[in-house]
Amino acid sequence: MTLKGRDLISIRDLSREEIEEVLRSAKRMIPYAEGTKLGDQLGGKLVTLAFFEPSTRTRLSFETAIQRLGGRCVTIADPSASSMRKGETLHDTIRMLSSYGDAIVLRHPNEGSGRLAAQASDKPVINAGDGAGQHPTQTLLDLATMQEAFGTLSGLKVVLLGDLKYGRTVHSLAYALAVFGAELVLSAPPGLGLPEEVRSQLDQMGAKISEEDQIHRVVRDADILYVTRIQKERFVDLAEYEKVAGSYRIDSALLKSAKQRLIVMHPLPRTGEIAPEVDATAHAAYFRQAFLGVPVRMALLSLILTGKAG
Ligand code: NCD
């Protein structure tokens, strides 16, 4: 079992053991991510970051992970400044980039673009979000956050709240949680439930799933409340977005009935789903979650580029 040279397009590309290996390695990477230890695990390897959609955390945590481990990167952060604007296909862009660097990290608005890129590239491709598809590296850092808080990933009761239709983070996360035997509670505004395809795969995996649209009913016995933003940019009809905008908000009053150890997670950015007053409570895990993106991406890059757990 080795991740060396492999692509990561869907979280389902990784076995349970491989996910556990990344998480173990990520734990050891924390001092490097904090800057208290200096690393050179990537030994000058060059990673190409091709971001064709807005990103703050994902891109900068990849860049931070690379730089802190002695790697180098070149980045397309503004697609309007690249030749895609001149009509170059994703295939051609990726094929060319794969001859420049040692791996490619891709974010793109089209679902399926990660797979397409992996076919065009002879270097490993890491999917950093493909439209409403998958976001596997976010899932790895989500799992790292849960494991750090609870010491385990099994037996957790996780509420997935928000836009489960277009939210790629929850698509990837739901698969991974099913693998670890978590209990899932789906809570989405009308019309924003999990896509049929994701739901049926989860059912085939034997996932324990229930649905509850009244959030106050599930807060009481949940371990994790995973909140997501309504993905406004993916709505074909903005009038449909307006119908559901602002339909849920987590605040201190709601959390009064929660277990003491409940953690609130969010891939960020938040746009009003979590009141800022929650930040000061022991429930707030989202900024720690964002930090853990660095050691998790360090672990993943080290395993993919060098085969070593670091
Ligand atoms: C998420 C994304 O891009 O899918 N952000 C992230 O990577 N942390 C979530 C979102 O944009 O709502």
Side-chain angles (χ1 to χ4, degrees):
M1 170 182 85
T2 174
L3 289 179
K4 188 164 182 210
R6 295 246 304 265
D7 301 313
L8 176 58
I9 307 303
S10 162
I11 195 67
R12 292 194 296 158
D13 296 344
L14 299 180
S15 67
R16 178 182 174 138
E17 291 69 29
E18 286 164 345
I19 292 175
E20 286 169 339
E21 183 182 15
V22 175
L23 297 182
R24 271 195 307 276
S25 167
K27 223 170 154 180
R28 292 197 294 275
M29 291 293 186
I30 288 177
Y32 297 99
E34 287 170 337
T36 52
K37 267 190 183 174
L38 297 180
D40 193 33
Q41 288 87 334
L42 296 184
K45 293 266 188 204
L46 180 73
V47 182
T48 308
L49 304 178
F51 277 63
F52 298 104
E53 248 195 358
S55 170
T56 307
R57 272 153 294 276
T58 305
R59 181 167 68 78
L60 294 181
S61 65
F62 262 112
E63 289 189 0
T64 303
I66 293 162
Q67 311 253 15
R68 281 208 190 270
L69 289 191
R72 284 177 279 204
C73 53
V74 289
T75 299
I76 299 173
D78 176 9
S80 63
S82 82
S83 273
M84 298 283 271
R85 264 304 276 286
K86 301 184 195 164
E88 185 169 53
T89 61
L90 180 64
H91 172 278
D92 286 4
T93 304
I94 294 295
R95 180 158 177 191
M96 184 260 323
L97 290 179
S98 85
S99 70
Y100 288 179
D102 301 307
I104 295 172
V105 179
L106 175 72
R107 168 168 291 194
H108 194 279
N110 295 351
E111 197 171 330
S113 54
R115 218 39 97 192
L116 194 154
Q119 280 156 11
S121 171
D122 53 14
K123 305 282 170 51
V125 174
I126 299 174
N127 177 11
D130 62 325
Q134 289 271 309
H135 194 348
T137 66
Q138 177 71 40
T139 292
L140 293 169
L141 74 93
D142 293 342
L143 296 175
T145 309
M146 294 176 187
Q147 194 173 54
E148 188 178 74
F150 292 93
T152 176
L153 288 175
S154 49
L156 296 174
K157 184 160 184 171
V158 185
V159 181
L160 300 177
L161 171 67
D163 183 349
L164 309 184
K165 179 179 181 186
Y166 296 118
R168 55 195 174 200
T169 67
V170 280
H171 299 163
S172 293
L173 182 59
Y175 287 133
L177 289 173
V179 167
F180 285 95
E183 200 182 324
L184 299 178
V185 182
L186 310 179
S187 188
L192 294 184
L194 275 184
E196 202 39 59
E197 188 203 324
V198 178
R199 179 64 201 250
S200 66
Q201 295 278 5
L202 289 167
D203 289 337
Q204 272 175 36
M205 291 165 80
K208 290 172 254 169
I209 305 182
S210 59
E211 288 175 34
E212 174 55 67
D213 54 11
Q214 298 297 312
I215 188 69
H216 64 269
R217 295 211 187 118
V218 286
V219 162
R220 195 180 298 269
D221 54 11
D223 298 309
I224 294 158
L225 191 52
Y226 191 95
V227 187
T228 63
R229 169 180 74 87
I230 296 185
Q231 309 281 299
K232 184 177 179 184
E233 67 276 29
R234 312 233 184 267
F235 281 71
V236 186
D237 180 358
L238 265 190
E240 291 301 310
Y241 167 75
E242 297 301 340
K243 283 188 203 158
V244 285
S247 56
Y248 55 93
R249 181 171 170 89
I250 305 303
D251 58 16
S252 301
L254 180 86
L255 294 175
K256 284 234 160 61
S257 62
K259 284 186 199 169
Q260 211 179 343
R261 63 172 205 164
L262 169 112
I263 62 168
V264 179
M265 296 177 61
H266 193 306
L268 301 177
R270 61 175 154 179
T271 51
E273 310 81 43
I274 303 177
E277 67 194 24
V278 177
D279 300 3
T281 70
H283 299 299
Y286 29 92
F287 289 113
R288 179 68 183 169
Q289 182 185 356
F291 162 73
L292 288 171
V294 177
V296 163
R297 290 178 171 120
M298 283 176 161
L300 187 67
L301 288 165
S302 181
L303 286 162
I304 289 180
L305 285 168
T306 73
K308 296 194 189 108

